[in-house]
Amino acid sequence: MLDIFKTNKDKKKREELVLDKDNMPRHIAIIMDGNGRWAKQRKLPRTMGHKAGVETIRRVIKETHILGIKYLTLYAFSTENWKRPKDEVSALMRLLVEYLRSELQELNKNGVVIKILGDINMLPKDAQNEVKEAIELTKNNTGVVLNIAFNYGGRDEIIRAVKLVSNDVKSGKLNIEDIDEKALEKYLYTNGTPDPDLIIRPSGEQRISNFLLWQCAYSEFWYSNVCWPDFKEEHLHEAIYDYQHRDRRYGGV
Ligand code: IPE
Ligand code: IPE
Ligand code: MG
């Protein structure tokens, strides 16, 4: 049994969690992991796990909206995930296209702003087109900002930023003396999005896997053994509840 809530007593506790509306994380980032293991436990192909994971995405976006959390970042495909079998990679590309095709109107209606973190030029053409349409259609919305990290890697993001900075220095647009944290952040995919307050990783793994390396400097981490397709609203509440009982010191006292 993978669920961390093993007893009825724990179940009761999580239903009673009272969240402090004045201390909500502004930005939650989630490493959506465990789809493959979820499928394996059910003797299903891994791709069925990815499909099941899409349902969790719907629930989590809705709950984010209800809770009034402004920024949600979902890690959907890493720069290392290209190493997977070709069939699985294609299935993940297809899922992105299907997801945007089926959800875009609804997301737009609910004011969601869709952004992509990662280099989309490496994606199949149809996926690139869906992504561009989603970004364009939702760019003036004012609701939840949904960052989909797709073909995203933290190191890749930093290398890209270094190249962009170098170009601007070379062309005289930027002085070396003016390079500080604020200036560098403008060159990251996350430009305009505050650092994640809370990073959630389901599936039992406790590592960062190249996610938001720059941005996670002072993020709070929350792990759960639940696989992503089984991740429910109550797990999100539990993570936020824990977050609200931590003492964020940022190096101070
Ligand atoms: C997360 O689930 C989805 C992606 C990385 C695309 P996994 O596919 O990594 O699932 P596990 O870790 O093998 O269970
Ligand atoms: C991280 O999960 C990437 C995504 C969830 C998109 P992985 O399953 O690829 O990470 P590792 O290989 O377990 O570190
Ligand atoms: Mg995994």
Side-chain angles (χ1 to χ4, degrees):
M1 178 150 169
L2 275 177
D3 198 305
I4 49 162
F5 302 108
K6 288 197 177 110
T7 65
N8 283 333
K9 192 174 129 266
D10 287 337
K11 245 188 194 129
K12 197 160 170 347
K13 183 182 138 239
R14 97 186 152 200
E15 275 156 18
E16 287 166 0
L17 298 180
V18 179
L19 299 180
D20 176 359
K21 291 267 173 290
D22 298 325
N23 184 23
M24 286 306 226
R26 207 149 59 113
H27 179 186
I28 294 182
I30 307 180
I31 302 174
M32 304 188 290
D33 198 16
N35 294 347
R37 276 161 286 170
W38 181 91
K40 196 172 170 207
Q41 287 155 16
R42 286 158 182 79
K43 305 206 169 18
L44 296 168
R46 291 178 57 83
T47 49
M48 291 303 286
H50 298 314
K51 258 208 159 97
V54 174
E55 191 44 48
T56 307
I57 294 179
R58 291 196 182 98
R59 301 173 80 124
V60 166
I61 294 174
K62 195 164 165 217
E63 196 61 16
T64 304
H65 175 77
I66 291 169
L67 292 170
I69 291 154
K70 179 72 184 168
Y71 299 91
L72 176 68
T73 299
L74 299 177
Y75 200 8
F77 191 90
S78 76
T79 45
E80 286 71 42
N81 288 148
W82 295 104
K83 287 189 231 164
R84 295 187 178 201
K86 244 180 117 187
D87 285 358
E88 184 172 346
V89 170
S90 329
L92 288 164
M93 298 295 152
R94 245 190 345 265
L95 265 184
L96 173 68
V97 171
E98 281 170 18
Y99 173 74
L100 289 175
R101 279 194 188 144
S102 73
E103 300 294 307
L104 182 57
Q105 297 310 326
E106 181 76 12
L107 290 169
N108 186 42
K109 218 170 67 198
N110 284 294
V112 174
V113 181
I114 297 175
K115 295 188 176 177
I116 299 286
L117 313 182
D119 180 7
I120 64 163
N121 293 316
M122 279 167 75
L123 308 187
K125 259 269 136 27
D126 61 338
Q128 289 188 35
N129 292 338
E130 288 303 323
V131 161
K132 283 179 194 153
E133 189 191 328
I135 295 170
E136 185 58 30
L137 183 71
T138 62
K139 68 177 185 206
N140 295 321
N141 288 345
T142 54
V144 173
V145 175
L146 172 65
N147 293 313
I148 305 174
F150 206 100
N151 189 23
Y152 173 86
R155 289 186 171 181
D156 184 63
E157 179 181 41
I158 292 168
I159 288 171
R160 175 177 172 271
V162 168
K163 287 181 182 165
L164 293 170
V165 164
S166 308
N167 267 326
D168 281 357
V169 168
K170 205 163 110 189
S171 70
K173 258 184 24 204
L174 182 69
N175 293 318
I176 291 184
E177 301 72 41
D178 294 334
I179 302 174
D180 56 11
E181 289 187 16
K182 251 184 112 155
L184 193 113
E185 276 164 1
K186 293 208 169 65
Y187 294 87
L188 299 176
Y189 287 121
T190 47
N191 179 25
T193 294
D195 289 344
D197 300 295
L198 174 62
I199 296 182
I200 294 175
R201 183 164 194 164
S203 91
E205 309 299 353
Q206 301 192 353
R207 54 176 169 262
I208 196 75
S209 299
N210 206 8
F211 190 42
L212 302 177
L213 296 183
W214 169 278
Q215 299 86 341
C216 77
Y218 276 100
S219 302
E220 296 294 328
F221 288 89
W222 192 84
Y223 302 104
S224 156
N225 289 328
V226 170
C227 286
W228 178 247
D230 286 333
F231 190 92
K232 298 282 180 315
E233 291 82 348
E234 56 245 44
H235 300 112
L236 186 67
H237 285 226
E238 166 101 0
I240 296 171
Y241 183 84
D242 282 358
Y243 164 83
Q244 293 184 333
H245 289 81
R246 295 194 191 169
D247 180 18
R248 301 184 79 187
R249 285 187 295 274
Y250 301 97
V253 286

